[in-house]
Amino acid sequence: MNQRRSTQYYPMDYWLLFAAILLAGIGLIMVFSSSGMMAERFYHDKYLFFKKQAMFSVVGIAAMIFCARVNRKFFYDLTYVWMFVAIMLLGLCLVIGTTAGGARRWIHMGPFSLQPLEFAKPALVLYLAYFFARKQEIMQVKTFSVGFIPPFAATGVMSLLLLMQPDFGGAMLLAILLMFMCLAGGTRIIYLLGAALAGGWGGWLLIASSPYRLKRWTAFLDPFATAQTTGYQLVQSLYAFGSGRFFGAGLGAGKQKLLFLPEAHNDFIMAVVGEELGFLGLSLVLLLMGFLFLRAFRVAFLQEDLMDRLTAFGMTIVLALGACMNLAVVLGTVPPKGVPMPFISYGGSSLIVSFICVGILLNLSRNRT
Amino acid sequence: MTKRVQRSRGGAPARPKTDLGKLKLLLVGLIFAAIWVALWGRAAYVQLYLGPELKKGAEKQSLATGFELGERGRIYDRNGSILATSVESKSVYVSPIKVDNAAQTAQILAQILDVPKKSVEHDLASKKGFVWIKRQIGDREAQALEAEKLPGVFLTNEYRRMFPNHHSAGQVLGFVGVDGLGLEGMEKRFETRMAGRQAKYVVQRDATGRRLYLDDQGREMDIRGADVKLTLDTVIQDAAEQSLAEAVTKYNGRSGMAIVVKVDTGEILALAHFPFLNPNAASLSRPSARRFRAALDMFEPGSIMKPFVFAAALEQKVIDQSKIFDCENGKWVLRGKTIRDTHPYRWLSANRILRYSSNIGTAKIGLALGAQPYYSALRKLGFGERSGLDIPSESAGLLRQPKEWGEFDLATISFGQGIGVTGLQMARAYMVLANKGVPKPLKLVLDPAPTPQPPANRVFSEQTVETVLSMMREVVEEDGTGKLARIPGVLGAGKTGTAQKAAATGKGYGEGNVASFVGLYPGDKPEYLIMVIVDEPSPVAFGGIVCAPAVRDIAIKTLSYYNRLPEAKASTQPEPSESSMQAKATRAPSATAGANVPDLTGLPVRRALEVLGKRGIVPEIKGSGMVISRQKPLPGEAWPEAKSTSKDGGFVLWLQEGTK
């Protein structure tokens, strides 16, 4: 460390920190609002999910502080370890995972469950950043064998494991993450386009091959046609948004969450935000999130070292991509996928990983080498 | 940092590649910004443009699947035994607009449900959205109907009221009609509390498919009615009912009532009426049997009124215990009307007047006291107003203003004629004597807790009450009219009553009598107040003969149940009831509470309860009848936990009809 004369130190990006904690606070309130009655009725504890989410927040904030403070070598040097652990968890999920809604996405650990996908995201970012930063040095990125195959193979393994759960949305998310990382990392655009086309074609084959996925696609295109079956969730989500109008029904006064909207505190929590806080409240939440992404992006943009920059960029993409996909799903613009809203949705894995992403960004914001 | 990092940083500012990298980053950032703004626009489109239509859709669906009636609250006794509960049964209704083929539907409904086809056709032609076809149908009918899958015909859950203890406390509990509305007694009194709410429901769309019940505003609601817990104790209630039934039948009475009150709290432990009412089949009963007589029926109490005139006179220092009055040899003409005593007496001291229940003596005390002081004492005792138990259509009795009283009226009201009271009023008045001169409100309900009342003002001094109690002890313990209420080993205090009933013609008095007895046990520090009243007993009409033994009977059972009976004295006590006598002859030696469980089979229930009551055990009773046919634990086994009541692991007795 003593040789790092040129490193400039900055205070960490408090705006980013502030936005993250504020969003988690809003999330906590919305989790309570959307789960309270349900928890009271079915678990006889109104605060069940609220308490758990509050606990996850504490753990998440601790993890964020750790990530912000620790020497970044801790992430970089252990890249392969993170990759290995993430792939092991994804594999383990297929073996001992809990089946819920026809998919094996969770590993139960005592009273809590872990969603390996969430942890796979930052691990993959670290690996891709490390890969592109190192290969850049020897100008190999532009070649097919070095610049294309390893990152695609690593992402491919993870995606394959996700597809076996099956979690098409998760696989999709990792694939898009890879695309953006490649783009920023310097892979030839032509390869990316080719891969995107191939991926799109493969994706279509996958969709068409499984009636379950095809049905979910058609549900998205006209949810009201299948309002009682496949389109149900989306219709209820749209009803919730629609019921909110501009000013909303008022915090806690939404009806959809209790009666009709399954997973209201989970993937569809933004529908509850829309119903209870209205377009006004939703806009403020989106504005705050946009601000968080902006600050995160700024951290990435200001990094001069490629490894740092790609890492910061990747973490930003993980958050922004999750948010975009979630919002797109609940608003019915893309086919339904189980993607949580970062910081807002109930769920320990998602919340803690979101905090870890911000923690790493905060770490990088402190100095630009 | 590592060397790698430093190296890369070294050439950074000058390398165009880095700038290209930043441009790419910027590009990605812009893509995301565009997506984010697009999604925001989509939200605006959905919420603001599509909003009204979506909202309409959302509201429409919340008026959803069907409706259901919640279960009516239960009634429990003080120990948590169920007195009234509800069992689910199916009811059929139609939604005429949803019926496809009215003629065929009517045909099938009439056939399965055994209802006139005409009336079904009429119902199906109705413009209403909802018409009951038949309520509380059997399981088989429900199944057959379900199999038909008729459009517009629905089955819904309703509840039928069940009273597991049959006639026990029937008039107090009351009953419900077919639409589940409480019609009498506690069922009526707590209708709004216990009634199950009707609610629309939706089925939760998660894997569990649970139902959520909504009120008109779409808020979730609990449709189950709230429970009610009474102060009654089923064991004491049963004991009171049996003794009352024996007294009424033995002396050919028209009806009777019995009340047991726990003095320290004012809680009514038993409130029995005979003839019994089985609320399970209330519609089959005679209306007269449904009456909650203790609250509704006013009667002229007769001599059980006397202690109050004595107390008032003592309080006013008009008399003392030994003051003597001329009892006119049993016949006294006052203002042209004759007052008679059952037995002729001449000069009697006040305590003997009460002991022998002389009307003439009491009339003279009343006259000495005067109308206004007596009236004011009666009002303070609670006469002329409702008992405070809020029984539906409760009577306030009849107490005229003292200015309307003539001298003769004052004389007769002193010995309880010319005044109308209810059984509950009488019990409440006696509570003042039992509670050292301070009124103690009666309680029939534990939950919901009655609204606390301000502490009542003292009516009589402790000294006065002690003197009256001592006179009442003489009634029982000396050669008084109530000696049949005597319980060896336990001091008793009491008062007999043998009132004349007003003639049916409305003028004067007829042949009928109301026999009564009020007992306080122990007679020096009363813990239990027990009152038995029998209407029109014959051929004997004296309260001391008709009612006193019943009060004694109930007192023994109550005291033994609460372990307040001296053991040896109780078991040597002669049993007047025939069935007990028989059981005693055959079984009694083994049926006392020893180290192990005795053989109770063949014993009358009452006797078995007595035996178990001494151990503080309340057995669970299964089946119906009067005699124990089977028991758990078996004879010779160890006693179960004394604490266990009628729930699991306790004592179970199976009954059978007949004597053996």
Side-chain angles (χ1 to χ4, degrees):
Chain A
M1 295 303 257
N2 50 356
Q3 15 174 326
R4 293 185 57 214
R5 274 193 341 251
S6 55
T7 301
Q8 290 175 279
Y9 288 94
Y10 296 87
M12 72 165 69
D13 190 335
Y14 286 109
W15 283 112
L16 180 60
L17 178 71
F18 173 73
I21 289 178
L22 192 59
L23 272 176
I26 293 171
L28 203 52
I29 293 167
M30 291 318 297
V31 164
F32 176 57
S33 175
S34 54
S35 72
M37 275 162 127
M38 179 269 285
E40 167 73 15
R41 179 157 174 90
F42 299 141
Y43 302 96
H44 304 291
D45 179 5
K46 194 159 33 170
Y47 300 101
L48 179 73
F49 293 100
F50 176 79
K51 283 190 283 196
K52 286 174 92 170
Q53 184 78 348
M55 208 172 64
F56 297 145
S57 302
V58 170
V59 174
I61 288 171
M64 175 176 71
I65 292 170
F66 173 79
C67 292
R69 290 266 159 222
V70 74
N71 189 324
R72 61 190 73 160
K73 276 174 75 175
F74 174 73
F75 309 117
Y76 295 165
D77 292 358
L78 296 177
T79 297
Y80 285 107
V81 176
W82 306 135
M83 264 315 258
F84 178 76
V85 170
I87 290 176
M88 283 309 290
L89 282 176
L90 284 170
L92 205 60
C93 204
L94 293 174
V95 185
I96 62 160
T98 324
T99 307
R104 254 194 266 266
R105 290 178 190 170
W106 303 90
I107 297 174
H108 269 294
M109 301 190 313
F112 302 104
S113 27
L114 186 134
Q115 197 174 11
L117 164 66
E118 295 300 328
F119 293 93
K121 291 178 198 169
L124 183 62
V125 166
L126 284 171
Y127 167 75
L128 293 175
Y130 172 68
F131 174 83
F132 285 118
R134 203 184 52 183
K135 301 303 180 216
Q136 202 96 49
E137 298 300 312
I138 33 180
M139 292 304 292
Q140 284 171 326
V141 185
K142 302 275 178 189
T143 67
F144 185 79
S145 61
V146 182
F148 188 85
I149 292 185
F152 275 68
T155 314
V157 168
M158 282 186 165
S159 297
L160 205 65
L161 289 170
L162 284 167
L163 284 175
M164 283 163 76
Q165 286 183 358
D167 182 359
F168 189 71
M172 190 87 165
L173 193 139
L174 291 191
I176 297 173
L177 180 64
L178 170 70
M179 285 296 160
F180 283 118
M181 289 298 282
C182 286
L183 186 67
T187 309
R188 277 176 195 277
I189 305 269
I190 188 80
Y191 294 158
L192 289 179
L193 278 176
L197 284 176
W201 182 63
W204 172 248
L205 282 187
L206 263 174
I207 290 159
S209 73
S210 152
Y212 148 82
R213 282 186 210 108
L214 196 61
K215 254 159 80 182
R216 284 178 65 146
W217 270 86
T218 50
F220 133 74
L221 290 170
D222 183 8
F224 290 93
T226 53
Q228 289 309 309
T229 53
T230 16
Y232 181 78
Q233 272 190 325
L234 186 49
V235 165
Q236 298 305 334
S237 176
L238 291 174
Y239 278 165
F241 276 111
S243 302
R245 306 294 305 280
F246 189 78
F247 289 107
L251 193 61
K255 289 175 194 166
Q256 292 295 102
K257 65 194 181 193
L258 173 67
L259 307 172
F260 304 105
L261 193 58
E263 302 292 301
H265 60 297
N266 221 321
D267 295 347
F268 280 84
I269 197 163
M270 289 312 280
V272 180
V273 173
E275 184 181 9
E276 300 194 345
L277 305 183
F279 179 66
L280 184 68
L282 182 74
S283 299
L284 290 176
V285 173
L286 295 192
L287 202 65
L288 184 58
M289 289 194 122
F291 177 71
L292 180 129
F293 301 147
L294 191 71
R295 294 306 296 191
F297 184 77
R298 182 175 167 276
V299 171
F301 195 76
L302 291 177
Q303 299 300 320
E304 295 299 336
D305 176 66
L306 198 55
M307 175 79 191
D308 292 345
R309 180 192 298 167
L310 287 176
T311 303
F313 175 72
M315 296 303 165
T316 308
I317 298 296
V318 165
L319 294 174
L321 196 57
C324 286
M325 281 176 78
N326 176 276
L327 206 54
V329 167
V330 296
L331 283 168
T333 38
V334 299
K337 290 177 211 70
V339 184
M341 178 57 98
F343 291 111
I344 310 281
S345 282
Y346 170 80
S349 301
S350 164
L351 184 64
I352 290 167
V353 166
S354 298
F355 270 122
I356 287 175
C357 290
V358 170
I360 293 173
L361 283 163
L362 289 174
N363 189 326
L364 295 169
S365 75
R366 284 193 301 142
N367 47 50
R368 304 165 197 150
T369 44
Chain B
M1 271 293 153
T2 59
K3 284 182 178 167
R4 170 183 58 78
V5 172
Q6 283 200 342
R7 248 190 292 135
S8 94
R9 196 222 160 270
R15 273 157 72 167
K17 196 156 283 166
T18 312
D19 289 333
L20 190 62
K22 284 204 172 186
L23 273 179
K24 283 179 181 170
L25 243 60
L26 211 54
L27 178 69
V28 175
L30 288 173
I31 292 173
F32 270 97
I35 293 174
W36 201 241
V37 169
L39 285 171
W40 181 67
R42 167 74 180 170
Y45 175 72
V46 169
Q47 294 204 269
L48 304 180
Y49 182 74
L50 298 179
E53 200 185 322
L54 289 170
K55 189 171 184 170
K56 235 179 270 168
E59 276 162 4
K60 204 164 64 190
Q61 70 172 357
S62 61
L63 306 174
T65 331
F67 78 88
E68 197 164 299
L69 261 179
E71 188 179 343
R72 189 178 177 82
R74 292 175 177 175
I75 304 179
Y76 293 100
D77 87 339
R78 62 186 299 113
N79 302 315
S81 298
I82 293 175
L83 299 178
T85 182
S86 291
V87 246
E88 209 173 50
S89 67
K90 298 273 185 201
S91 288
V92 189
Y93 68 92
V94 292
S95 192
I97 31 169
K98 294 183 186 159
V99 173
D100 280 349
N101 183 339
Q104 193 195 347
T105 303
Q107 172 74 38
I108 295 171
L109 283 175
Q111 198 185 338
I112 292 177
L113 299 175
D114 192 26
V115 287
K117 196 178 159 197
K118 278 260 161 58
S119 87
V120 180
E121 278 168 349
H122 175 78
D123 290 338
L124 288 177
S126 159
K127 293 249 188 302
K128 285 188 268 182
F130 166 97
V131 188
W132 286 117
I133 297 295
K134 191 173 181 184
R135 306 184 66 171
Q136 299 172 3
I137 62 173
D139 288 347
R140 195 171 296 175
E141 292 170 314
Q143 234 166 20
L145 208 56
E146 237 155 39
E148 292 288 342
K149 291 198 172 72
L150 295 168
V153 177
F154 303 95
L155 285 169
T156 187
N157 284 330
E158 278 202 304
Y159 292 91
R160 199 153 53 84
R161 203 58 165 167
M162 286 280 287
F163 301 84
N165 296 346
H166 304 285
H167 64 247
S168 184
Q171 292 88 346
V172 177
L173 298 175
F175 48 88
V176 299
V178 69
D179 53 358
L181 200 69
L183 297 179
E184 293 287 348
M186 293 296 116
E187 295 282 13
K188 183 174 182 184
R189 155 92 198 275
F190 291 108
E191 171 61 28
T192 44
R193 176 184 171 89
M194 291 197 289
R197 326 287 187 250
Q198 183 171 314
K200 300 185 178 94
Y201 67 79
V202 292
V203 177
Q204 175 96 350
R205 288 296 182 128
D206 58 13
T208 56
R210 276 173 285 211
R211 283 180 175 187
L212 292 159
Y213 299 96
L214 311 177
D215 65 7
D216 292 341
Q217 272 80 50
R219 290 171 302 205
E220 207 203 352
M221 62 183 277
D222 187 358
I223 58 169
R224 198 184 178 288
D227 295 334
V228 167
K229 191 170 194 173
L230 301 182
T231 59
L232 298 183
D233 186 310
T234 36
V235 175
I236 311 282
Q237 178 74 24
D238 287 350
E241 287 184 356
Q242 268 178 30
S243 302
L244 175 67
E246 277 166 23
V248 176
T249 27
K250 188 168 172 189
Y251 293 102
N252 311 304
R254 284 160 60 98
S255 67
M257 65 179 89
I259 302 176
V260 180
V261 186
K262 197 163 174 285
V263 169
D264 59 348
T265 56
E267 290 164 1
I268 298 173
L269 298 175
L271 187 36
H273 295 83
F274 187 86
F276 296 135
L277 166 71
N278 181 354
N280 291 308
S283 57
L284 304 178
S285 64
R286 278 178 299 130
S288 66
R290 299 176 197 164
R291 291 184 71 78
F292 192 151
R293 291 176 185 277
L296 270 55
D297 283 9
M298 191 169 77
F299 61 97
E300 291 182 67
S303 304
I304 49 170
M305 203 69 191
K306 285 175 186 164
F308 303 121
V309 80
F310 277 73
L314 283 164
E315 187 76 12
Q316 299 291 322
K317 310 242 187 295
V318 175
I319 60 163
D320 60 39
Q321 227 189 132
S322 52
K323 179 160 184 175
I324 55 169
F325 291 89
D326 181 2
C327 292
E328 311 280 352
N329 231 350
K331 191 175 169 190
W332 186 39
V333 180
L334 174 67
R335 304 255 160 188
K337 290 174 187 162
T338 311
I339 298 171
R340 291 171 199 279
D341 277 344
T342 321
H343 300 284
Y345 297 103
R346 206 59 226 201
W347 288 89
L348 285 179
S349 58
N351 61 328
R352 279 169 196 266
I353 290 174
L354 191 70
R355 192 197 290 178
Y356 304 129
S357 199
S358 162
N359 290 339
I360 297 166
T362 310
K364 289 188 169 178
I365 293 174
L367 291 172
L369 174 64
Q372 188 57 53
Y374 183 36
Y375 174 82
S376 128
L378 290 179
R379 286 307 306 254
K380 286 186 205 157
L381 288 163
F383 291 107
E385 66 177 42
R386 292 188 177 83
S387 69
L389 292 178
D390 290 337
I391 315 282
S393 26
E394 189 182 347
S395 162
L398 180 68
L399 178 60
R400 287 175 294 153
Q401 292 293 318
K403 56 176 183 282
E404 300 171 24
W405 299 2
E407 203 173 18
F408 185 77
D409 295 320
L410 173 57
T412 59
I413 292 170
S414 297
F415 56 83
Q417 302 285 165
I419 177 176
V421 306
T422 66
L424 286 174
Q425 277 181 333
M426 192 47 84
R428 185 165 74 149
Y430 267 96
M431 280 297 288
V432 176
L433 296 180
N435 193 42
K436 297 178 177 152
V438 181
K440 186 104 188 170
L442 293 176
K443 266 197 232 163
L444 185 54
V445 184
L446 290 175
D447 183 28
T451 43
Q453 284 159 355
N457 292 324
R458 175 172 287 280
V459 179
F460 303 126
S461 71
E462 278 193 47
Q463 177 61 43
T464 300
V465 168
E466 179 41 47
T467 309
V468 174
L469 275 185
S470 80
M471 292 181 188
M472 286 172 64
R473 283 198 293 274
E474 287 176 36
V475 172
V476 176
E477 300 294 336
E478 304 292 331
D479 60 338
T481 52
K483 50 183 177 285
L484 287 182
R486 204 176 292 167
I487 303 170
V490 180
L491 214 49
K495 185 67 195 87
T496 56
T498 310
Q500 288 178 287
K501 288 183 77 174
T505 56
K507 278 213 152 188
Y509 288 96
E511 292 297 300
N513 292 92
V514 175
S516 54
F517 188 82
V518 181
L520 298 172
Y521 297 91
D524 47 353
K525 289 192 177 71
E527 290 172 23
Y528 300 99
L529 183 160
I530 299 162
M531 181 168 77
V532 170
I533 296 167
V534 175
D535 188 31
E536 296 195 14
S538 70
V540 187
F542 297 117
I545 293 173
V546 177
C547 300
V551 167
R552 177 180 150 281
D553 238 28
I554 298 169
I556 290 175
K557 286 173 216 154
T558 306
L559 291 167
S560 74
Y561 176 65
Y562 286 108
N563 266 322
R564 304 287 297 126
L565 203 61
E567 192 98 359
K569 302 249 169 68
S571 53
T572 56
Q573 195 52 40
E575 284 281 332
S577 121
E578 276 174 40
S579 56
S580 324
M581 288 297 278
Q582 183 187 20
K584 201 162 188 65
T586 55
R587 290 283 183 189
S590 66
T592 42
N596 293 322
V597 174
D599 186 359
L600 299 169
T601 51
L603 279 184
V605 193
R606 221 157 46 77
R607 181 77 189 125
L609 290 184
E610 239 175 83
V611 171
L612 296 178
K614 283 178 198 157
R615 306 284 310 199
I617 290 173
V618 186
E620 183 182 356
I621 307 239
K622 294 193 169 171
S624 62
M626 305 293 277
V627 176
I628 312 293
S629 67
R630 212 145 56 82
Q631 70 182 85
K632 190 194 98 177
L634 295 172
E637 288 182 14
W639 287 100
E641 282 283 308
K643 276 270 150 70
S644 53
T645 50
S646 51
K647 299 284 178 277
D648 307 330
F651 219 105
V652 189
L653 299 176
W654 283 266
L655 306 187
Q656 69 178 34
E657 303 286 352
T659 46
K660 274 277 142 168

